[in-house]
Amino acid sequence: MNNKRLSLAEEAHLLDAQLATRRLFLKQCSMGLGALAFSPLINACTSESNGSSNTLFDPTKPLLPKTPHLPGKAKSVIYLHMAGAPSQLELFDYKPELKKLDGQLCPESLLKGKKFAFIRGVPKMLGTIGEFKQRGQSGAWVSHYMPHLAGVADELSFLKAVHTDQFNHAPAQLLMQTGSARLGRPSLGSWVTYGLGSENANLPGFVVLTSGGQNPDAGKSVWGSGFLPSVYQGVHCRSHGEPVLYLDNPANVDGNMRKASIDAINQANKETYKEFNDPETLSRISQYEMAFRMQISAPDVMNISDEPAYIHEMYGTEPGKESFANNVLLARKLVEKGVRFVQLFDWGWDVHGNSTDTSLEIGLVNKCKQIDKAITALILDLKQRGLLEETLIVWGSEFGRTPMQENRNGLEMPFKGRDHHADAFTIWMCGGGAKAGTTYGETDEIGFYPVDGKVSVYDVQATILHLLGFNHETFTYPFQGRPFRLTDVEGTVIKPILS
Amino acid sequence: MGVLHPLVIHFPIALLLLAFFLEVYGLSATGKKYKASIPLITFLGGIGAVFSALSGYFLMNQGDYEDSSVELHRNWGIALAIGSALLIGLYRFPPKIPHIHLLGQGALSILVLVTGHLGGNLTHGEDFLSFDKPKKESKQIAFNQNTLVYADIIAPIFEEKCVACHGKTKQKGKLKLDQIENVLKGGKNGFYHGSEEGKMALMSHRMRLPLSDKQHMPPKGKTQLTEKEIVIIEKWLSLGASPKLLLKDLQLTEEFVSASNEEKNMAKTVDWPSVPDLAAVSETMLTPLRDRGMVVLPLASGHPLLQINCQSLSDFSDKDGELFKGLEKNIASIRLSGTKISDKSLKWISGLPNLSKLYLDNTLITDEGIALLKNTTELRYLNLVGTSITEKGLRTLSSLPLLKSVYLYQSEVKIEDMAEIQQRMPKVYFDLGGYKIDTLTMEITTEEK
C-alpha cells in the first residue's frame, strides 16, 4: 500500500475493482462455502424436531381457528393490566403486623444488598391504610378500597406471592407480557392468537384497549408480535371517539367500489408476493381483507352505546368518554363475539406519594373507584351469560409496592406512597378454569418476601397457557435457528389454582 | 484416586485390543510393517491396565457397590493386570514358541472384554446390554382409598427412578431402596435428617432441596420426581413408613387421589365424556361443515371429540342439522347462539350421545324442544340465555345425571319457581342473572384517636 490518501471516489473505485479480482473471490469463497455447507446442518437440527410448530402459521389464513395440545378450559382471555403497579398492601395483602411497625425505621437487614427505584438510605415502615375484611365463604382478604369486588371475592383465585426480577416499569411490563425484560419477544396475546387463531373471522383475534392517559411505559411492544408474523400483534383500538378509524366509507364510495379497490390492491400484492415470496406480503393481504370485513361487523361490536341502560348502570360506563369501564364493557362484547384475547391497560397506578394523584389516601382511592365496579360487573355479566366458565380474567400489574414509605432522594414525601417492589405482589385470576375462591401463596409478616407458594412471572404465564390448553414447554416458534417459548426455560403451571 | 477409574479403563481397552488387532494383521504381508509398534502399544496398554486395577480397588473400597457383583469384576481385573504385565515380559524376552505373541494377545483381549463387560454392568445396570429389553408394563391400577401405599405406589416409583443407583448392584451412599427393610435402614447417614427430634426423614429433606443443591435427589440430570410423588412419599415417611399403610391413612384430599388417577388415564377430564374407543375424525369429513362457515375443532390435537361453533352464522337454521350426519358420536360441544334454529333442531341435537356443552342462547327454542334433551346423558353445560324457556322446561332436565350448570338470564323462568327446581336438582347450578351492583362508597372507618 502506498501512503497516498485516496479520495472517496478513488476508494470506491478500488473497492469495486477488488470485487472483480480472483483473489477476493477465492478468499470469500473459502468462508462462504463453509457457511453454505453449515447452514443445512443447522436447519437439520431445528426443523426436523420442531417442524410441527412452524406449520401453525398459514400465511393465507393466519387467524384460522386452531386446536391446542390439550382440551383447554378457557377459550378467551381478558387481561386487565394496571400499569404503574397498585399497592397490594392496600388492596389484597393484609399485614396487621406492618401497621404496628408504622413510622419505625426499616431494619438494616431488609435493606442489605437490595436496590430500590427511589428509596435511598433508611426508609420508614408504612402501615397499611386499607381496612381489610375477610370476604365471602372463601374468606379472601379484600380491603375497603374495593367494596364491589369484595362482593365477588368467592369467584377469584388469588396469587399472593408473585415475584419478578425487574423493578422498573418498562422492563417489568415487558417481562410480564412478553416473557423477557428486553424488547423483541412476542406478547402473551400474540402467542395465544398464533396458537389458537380466532373464532370470529370478522374481528381481530387480539384487541388492545387503553383507558386514555398514558400508554404503558414499555410502549407498544407490550402488545407487539416480536418475531411472530406481524398479523398476530394486538390491534390497538382508540379510547376516544371511534374505536377503529376509517370504518365508514368515504363520501361517494359505496361498498362495491370499496370491495373492488381492495381486490385491486390485493391483486397487486399477490404479484409482489410471487416475485419476492415474503410472507409479510400475505399478512398484508389478509389484513386488507380483515379490514374490509371489519367495516361490516366492527361498528356494531365496538359500539357500547347500544347496550341497555341497566348494563351501563352496572358497569358505570359513560359512552363517548375515555374510561376503563367503557373498555371493560367493550371487552365483554368482544369476547362474546369470539375475540380470543382482549388486553386492557389502565394507567396511573404508580403510587409513589409525590402528589395527590399518586397518594395512597387520595390517588389510589380514585383509581380504585374507576375499576372496582366495572370489573365486578364484568365478572357478573360474563357469569350470567354463561361465559365466565370459558373466559379467563387476569388482573395484575408488573410488580408490587414496598412495605416501606418512599423517601425519594432521602426526603420526606408530601403524601403517603410506596416504592416499586419486585419480590412479592398480588395477581388474581377469575373464571376460565381458575379455581374460584382460592388464595395461593403467602408473604411474610410485612409483605416483603414470599414465605409460601412463591410463583414467578413465568409460572403465571405457564398457567394462563395451560388454561387455554397449551403445554407451555412444547408451544414454540422457530426463530434464529432455535425454537422459542414464551416462558423461555422457566415456568411451572400453578396447579393449586386450577379448578 | 477411585474417581479416576472410569476414565483410566478406556486406555487399556483400546490399546490392548489394538495390539491384538495388529498382531493378527501382522500375519498378512501388508500388515508386517506395523509389527514393530506392537511392543510399545502393549506396554502402554499394560500400564493402563495396572492403573485401572489400582484405581478400581480404591473405588471398590468406597463401598457404593454390592460386594458379590463387584468381586467378579475385581478378580477379572486383577487377572488382566497380571496378564498384561506378563505379556510385556514376553515381548522383552521372547521365548522360542511359534505365535506366542498372537496367542497371548488373544487371551488378553478376552480378559479385556469380560472385565469391561462386568464393569459396564456395574455402572449402567444389569440389563444394559440386552438388546431386546422386556418393556416394563406400567401397571395401570386405579388408586382407591385402600391401595397399599408402599407396594402399589411408592415401590414402583423407586423402581423407576431410584434403584439404578440405590439398588442391588449399586448402592450410592450405601442406600438401597429395593426392599422396604433397606428403605428403613437408610444410607450411611441413617434414615433421619439431623437430630432425632425433628424426625424428618433424610429422604424427604433431600427431595425438597432445590435442584441446584448438590445433595438434591434424584440428582440434576436424572429423571425427577413429580410433585405428587414427592407428596405421597413425604406423607408416607412422616407416618412411619410402614408397608401396611393404606392410601386413606395418608389423608390426602379426594381431589388429589382422583387427580393422580387422571394422570394415569390421560385426558380423562370431568368436563368431557370419556370415549376410549372413538376414533378421531378425518379432516375431509369436516370440510362440508367448514365450508358452511362453522368453526369445527377437535378438543385437542388428535382428540376424537369435536367442538362446533355456529355463532357467526345468522342464517343457520333447522335444516342445517343434516350436515352433522355421521358425526353424531363425535360432537361434544355445539354453539348455536343467535342462530335461526327452532324446537325442530332439538331432534338431531338429542341424538348426540356425547354432547357435553350446548349453547342455545338467543334462539327460538321453547320448553317443548328442551323436553327432547332427556337422552343426552353426557350433558353438563346448558346455555338458555335469552330464550322463552320457563320452569316447565327446566323440570324435564332432571333426568340428566351430569348436568352442572344452566344459564337462564333473560329467559322466562321466574325466580319464585327456582326453589323447587333447585330442590329437584340439588347438584345443578342455575344462574338467572340480572345482577345489579349498588354503587357503594368506600366504607372507611376512622380509627379512634
Side-chain angles (χ1 to χ4, degrees), chain A residues 59 269 272-284:
Chain A
N269 279 338
T272 316
Y273 178 68
K274 262 187 214 152
E275 195 176 344
F276 298 104
N277 252 320
D278 181 357
E280 284 292 303
T281 317
L282 292 175
S283 291
R284 193 78 190 140

Side-chain angles (χ1 to χ4, degrees), chain B residues 157-273:
Chain B
I157 300 174
F158 284 165
E159 178 67 35
E160 189 190 334
K161 299 185 174 170
C162 311
V163 294
C165 297
H166 302 293
K168 221 173 130 212
T169 40
K170 195 166 166 185
Q171 300 105 34
K172 293 261 180 152
K174 294 206 165 48
L175 176 66
K176 269 172 143 186
L177 295 177
D178 53 343
Q179 303 283 328
I180 180 111
E181 304 83 53
N182 296 331
V183 174
L184 295 175
K185 241 185 266 164
K188 65 179 171 201
N189 295 323
F191 182 72
Y192 288 107
H193 170 60
S195 61
E196 282 281 305
E197 210 175 308
K199 275 279 184 186
M200 184 194 195
L202 180 59
M203 206 191 293
S204 309
H205 170 69
R206 291 281 188 107
M207 293 185 307
R208 283 293 183 194
L209 286 172
L211 189 59
S212 51
D213 197 302
K214 260 174 121 179
Q215 303 205 315
H216 174 86
M217 280 293 146
K220 199 174 173 180
K222 307 274 176 187
T223 316
Q224 293 297 309
L225 296 168
T226 65
E227 177 61 27
K228 281 211 182 79
E229 290 170 345
I230 295 179
V231 170
I232 290 188
I233 296 172
E234 229 171 23
K235 283 237 176 183
W236 176 71
L237 289 169
S238 68
L239 289 172
S242 152
K244 286 187 192 130
L245 282 171
L246 300 176
L247 196 52
K248 67 179 166 205
D249 301 322
L250 301 195
Q251 296 187 329
L252 300 164
T253 56
E254 192 68 42
E255 240 170 275
F256 188 92
V257 178
S258 62
S260 311
N261 274 334
E262 209 176 283
E263 267 177 27
K264 282 224 176 315
N265 331 319
M266 287 283 285
K268 185 189 163 193
T269 57
V270 280
D271 288 350
W272 307 104

Side-chain angles (χ1 to χ4, degrees), chain A residues 10 49 90 127 228 255 262 277:
Chain A
E10 281 169 329
S49 50
E90 263 63 45
L228 289 177
I262 283 176
N277 252 320

Side-chain angles (χ1 to χ4, degrees), chain B residues 62-240:
Chain B
Q62 286 171 6
D64 287 341
Y65 297 90
E66 192 200 24
D67 287 344
S68 66
S69 58
V70 82
E71 229 165 55
L72 201 59
H73 174 61
R74 180 196 68 189
N75 293 343
W76 281 88
I78 292 173
L80 175 64
I82 294 172
S84 53
L86 286 175
L87 197 60
I88 294 170
L90 280 183
Y91 279 103
R92 184 133 296 192
F93 313 105
K96 292 251 158 40
I97 308 168
H99 295 310
I100 179 69
H101 290 146
L102 181 67
L103 289 173
Q105 290 286 10
L108 207 62
S109 290
I110 292 170
L111 280 172
V112 168
L113 289 175
V114 173
T115 315
H117 176 68
L118 287 171
N121 277 357
L122 283 174
T123 39
H124 303 298
E126 290 279 352
D127 53 355
F128 176 66
L129 206 63
S130 44
F131 290 105
D132 48 348
K133 274 179 217 171
K135 273 212 177 129
K136 272 179 208 159
E137 295 265 326
S138 55
K139 270 193 269 175
Q140 290 281 345
I141 12 166
F143 300 143
N144 62 43
Q145 292 293 6
N146 290 324
T147 308
L148 275 172
V149 178
Y150 178 73
D152 291 337
I153 305 175
I154 296 185
I157 300 174
F158 284 165
E159 178 67 35
E160 189 190 334
K161 299 185 174 170
C162 311
V163 294
C165 297
H166 302 293
K168 221 173 130 212
T169 40
K170 195 166 166 185
Q171 300 105 34
K172 293 261 180 152
K174 294 206 165 48
L175 176 66
K176 269 172 143 186
L177 295 177
D178 53 343
Q179 303 283 328
I180 180 111
E181 304 83 53
N182 296 331
V183 174
L184 295 175
K185 241 185 266 164
K188 65 179 171 201
N189 295 323
F191 182 72
Y192 288 107
H193 170 60
S195 61
E196 282 281 305
E197 210 175 308
K199 275 279 184 186
M200 184 194 195
L202 180 59
M203 206 191 293
S204 309
H205 170 69
R206 291 281 188 107
M207 293 185 307
R208 283 293 183 194
L209 286 172
L211 189 59
S212 51
D213 197 302
K214 260 174 121 179
Q215 303 205 315
H216 174 86
M217 280 293 146
K220 199 174 173 180
K222 307 274 176 187
T223 316
Q224 293 297 309
L225 296 168
T226 65
E227 177 61 27
K228 281 211 182 79
E229 290 170 345
I230 295 179
V231 170
I232 290 188
I233 296 172
E234 229 171 23
K235 283 237 176 183
W236 176 71
L237 289 169
S238 68
L239 289 172

Side-chain angles (χ1 to χ4, degrees), chain A residues 27-69:
Chain A
K27 201 165 137 193
Q28 296 216 320
C29 276
S30 63
M31 299 307 279
L33 281 179
L36 217 66
F38 193 57
S39 65
L41 289 178
I42 293 183
N43 279 337
C45 300
T46 52
S47 62
E48 200 55 42
S49 50
N50 292 292
S52 58
S53 56
N54 206 1
T55 58
L56 269 185
F57 173 59
D58 173 359
T60 53
K61 292 177 203 143
L63 290 172
L64 198 74
K66 280 160 255 175
T67 310
H69 307 122

Side-chain angles (χ1 to χ4, degrees), chain A residues 242 245-259 261-262 292 295:
Chain A
E242 278 181 58
L245 280 178
Y246 313 121
L247 282 178
D248 293 326
N249 288 325
N252 300 325
V253 174
D254 64 359
N256 289 335
M257 205 189 232
R258 184 64 146 192
K259 178 91 185 99
S261 66
I262 283 176
F292 182 71
Q295 280 198 294

Side-chain angles (χ1 to χ4, degrees), chain A residues 65-73 75 99 131 133 135 144-148 196 198-200 310-311 313-314 336-338 340 365-366 368-369 373 376-377 380-381 383-387 389-390 435 495, chain B residues 228 255 263 267 269-272 295 297-301 303 307 309 311-312 333 335 357 359 361 381 383 385 405 407-410 429 431-445 447:
Chain A
K66 280 160 255 175
T67 310
H69 307 122
L70 303 160
K73 298 227 177 190
K75 293 186 109 180
K99 213 161 196 174
E131 297 288 325
K133 262 190 215 155
R135 315 285 179 159
H144 79 276
Y145 277 85
M146 296 277 201
H148 299 101
L196 291 180
S198 174
E199 298 217 351
N200 189 330
Y310 67 94
I311 289 287
E313 166 65 32
M314 191 175 171
E336 207 176 15
K337 289 281 180 250
R340 190 64 76 188
V365 170
N366 290 334
C368 287
K369 268 187 190 162
K373 196 163 180 242
T376 313
L380 290 175
D381 200 12
K383 196 175 170 190
Q384 70 184 356
R385 286 163 204 271
L387 297 175
E389 292 184 23
E390 55 184 46
K435 197 197 259 173
K495 295 217 168 128
Chain B
K228 281 211 182 79
E255 240 170 275
E263 267 177 27
T269 57
V270 280
D271 288 350
W272 307 104
V295 175
L297 290 173
L299 292 186
S301 21
H303 204 287
Q307 37 193 345
N309 186 351
Q311 187 189 15
S312 52
S333 160
R335 184 172 204 146
K357 272 185 141 187
Y359 301 74
D361 45 312
Y381 170 104
N383 195 331
V385 170
S405 42
Y407 292 93
L408 298 162
Y409 173 54
Q410 290 176 332
Y429 169 75
D431 194 323
L432 256 63
Y435 298 109
K436 289 215 168 58
I437 307 173
D438 297 323
T439 307
L440 302 171
T441 45
M442 297 192 185
E443 345 127 17
I444 302 178
T445 51
E447 272 175 280

